[in-house]
Amino acid sequence: QRFFFFFSAAQATIQLPASPLSGYAVTFLDLNGTFATNKLTVDRNGQEIMNLAENMSATINHAAFTLVYTGATNGWKLLEVA
């Protein structure tokens, strides 16, 4: 799945699936370049992101990244970053 964000006035939180299948991937793209002012928080929803038990924040304008679920042992991993 791909999510394009057009934030202009507020921060947002996107919640990852609680029970994803291995190989499931989501892509995020800051089309308007507003993440530095209106950050995106990726809620891990109980799964680790990059082996960390914490949510992920995107705060760089025009950021784009893909997270892929690798399974319960390693959780979500960054696959692509732009």
Side-chain angles (χ1 to χ4, degrees), residues 21-62:
L21 298 174
S22 292
Y24 185 84
V26 290
T27 301
F28 303 89
L29 174 61
D30 178 16
L31 288 177
N32 288 345
T34 60
F35 279 175
T37 331
N38 302 309
K39 79 174 177 182
L40 168 68
T41 299
V42 180
D43 182 333
R44 65 190 188 92
N45 202 6
Q47 303 293 333
E48 292 186 348
I49 299 175
M50 298 299 292
N51 293 96
L52 298 172
E54 55 190 59
N55 294 333
M56 179 179 173
S57 293
T59 59
I60 305 293
N61 285 342
H62 302 285

Side-chain angles (χ1 to χ4, degrees), residues 4-26:
F4 301 107
F5 296 97
F6 302 99
F7 302 140
S8 58
Q11 299 180 17
T13 298
I14 299 295
Q15 189 174 59
L16 292 171
S19 300
L21 298 174
S22 292
Y24 185 84
V26 290

